[in-house]
Amino acid sequence: MFSKLLRAIIMGPPGSGKGTISGRIVHDFGMKHLSSGDLLRIQIMNSTAAGLEAKKFIDQGALVPDEVMVQLILNELREITNHSWLLDGFPRTVPQAEALSDKLDIDVVMNLDVPFETIKQRLTARWVHPGSGRVYNLDWNPPQIPGKDDVTGEQLIQRDDDKPETVTARLRNYENQTKPLLEFYSAAGKLVSFHGTESNIIYPKVKDFLATKIPPVTDDQSQSVKQ
């Protein structure tokens, strides 16, 4: 039934629970979770040709060109020969997706479809105590006194990234950037979307789907993947 390793991509807007769900996938199925940002840093640290080329652009404050990013990602993916993997954060554009597909056969693209209003409510409910870094959520972990830190009584603040206008702009930018990518993978027959408002609702659907592709692992096998 399970004849080969799975090459998967996971997509989802900021605040969709992508990190939580990816962690559960790693635990339950032994897949390697590959963050494009981590892969970029590894290639730069190892001074590969693609890593050094990318560093030139980063040092200049410029975007790393598609062809360089694709080569960076491929360098790492080709080293993984005995594990299924879950790519996160790449590709971000259709040209990147096309270049990746030319070199590798992607089995499935899993899209976490969480309503933007749910994400906006979740992120804008977050407040922090700047002195200690303590985080409060007005929905499920509110301070005892509104607007005040429980320990010091000092004023809580909302980070710029969590302000409603910033969250709305981030989600709009994500949608504009991602829509062509979702259409590309949908046309290729690779896209599977999972709908829900929270990770505990979405993940069982993801788990059931993945169980038709690769076998779940034992806890011992899961630990070996993390090491």
Side-chain angles (χ1 to χ4, degrees):
M1 180 179 177
F2 305 111
S3 59
K4 70 187 190 80
L5 300 175
L6 187 69
R7 294 169 168 176
I9 294 170
I10 188 167
M11 298 177 61
S16 63
K18 183 156 59 87
T20 297
I21 288 174
S22 295
R24 293 180 184 179
I25 291 172
V26 169
H27 178 271
D28 290 340
F29 293 95
M31 297 181 72
K32 281 190 174 292
H33 178 228
L34 307 166
S35 160
S36 60
D38 290 344
L39 297 184
L40 176 59
R41 285 187 287 274
I42 289 171
Q43 290 284 307
I44 292 174
M45 183 177 65
N46 291 340
S47 297
T48 66
L52 293 174
E53 186 69 16
K55 190 173 186 298
K56 292 179 185 177
F57 292 95
I58 293 171
D59 289 345
Q60 296 169 5
L63 291 175
V64 179
D66 285 346
E67 60 270 20
V68 178
M69 277 302 302
V70 170
Q71 192 56 52
L72 279 166
I73 299 298
L74 287 173
N75 284 350
E76 288 296 318
L77 295 183
R78 285 170 175 158
E79 294 294 317
I80 304 172
T81 58
N82 60 345
H83 281 290
S84 295
W85 47 254
L86 182 68
L87 183 58
D88 180 357
F90 187 90
R92 294 180 182 272
T93 67
V94 171
Q96 288 179 351
E98 291 173 337
L100 185 63
S101 295
D102 284 343
K103 303 293 184 180
L104 283 175
D105 182 23
I106 303 299
D107 296 307
V108 64
V109 177
M110 297 183 291
N111 176 49
L112 307 183
D113 184 12
V114 180
F116 279 3
E117 280 305 311
T118 299
I119 295 174
K120 185 176 176 181
Q121 180 181 354
R122 182 183 302 161
L123 295 181
T124 57
R126 189 163 53 191
W127 290 74
V128 300
H129 176 240
S132 66
R134 277 185 289 276
V135 178
Y136 297 86
N137 187 291
L138 301 186
D139 292 329
W140 50 267
N141 180 36
Q144 295 173 4
I145 300 174
K148 302 291 185 180
D149 177 51
D150 288 349
V151 178
T152 66
E154 295 171 345
Q155 193 71 30
L156 301 177
I157 65 167
Q158 191 171 42
R159 297 181 304 189
D160 288 342
D161 281 353
D162 295 334
K163 291 180 178 177
E165 60 273 19
T166 306
V167 171
T168 299
R170 287 171 63 200
L171 292 174
R172 188 177 297 120
N173 289 339
Y174 176 84
E175 183 177 38
N176 292 338
Q177 183 184 54
T178 307
K179 185 178 179 182
L181 200 54
L182 295 177
E183 291 173 347
F184 171 82
Y185 282 121
S186 178
K190 305 288 188 181
L191 184 68
V192 181
S193 289
F194 300 92
H195 310 277
T197 55
E198 59 183 83
S199 299
N200 288 339
I201 293 175
I202 294 177
Y203 183 64
K205 303 175 186 178
V206 173
K207 185 176 181 180
D208 287 346
F209 169 76
L210 285 176
T212 68
K213 303 294 183 182
I214 53 176
V217 298
T218 65
D219 286 341
D220 288 343
Q221 289 173 317
S222 177
Q223 288 299 322
S224 70
V225 171
K226 296 176 184 178
Q227 292 171 358

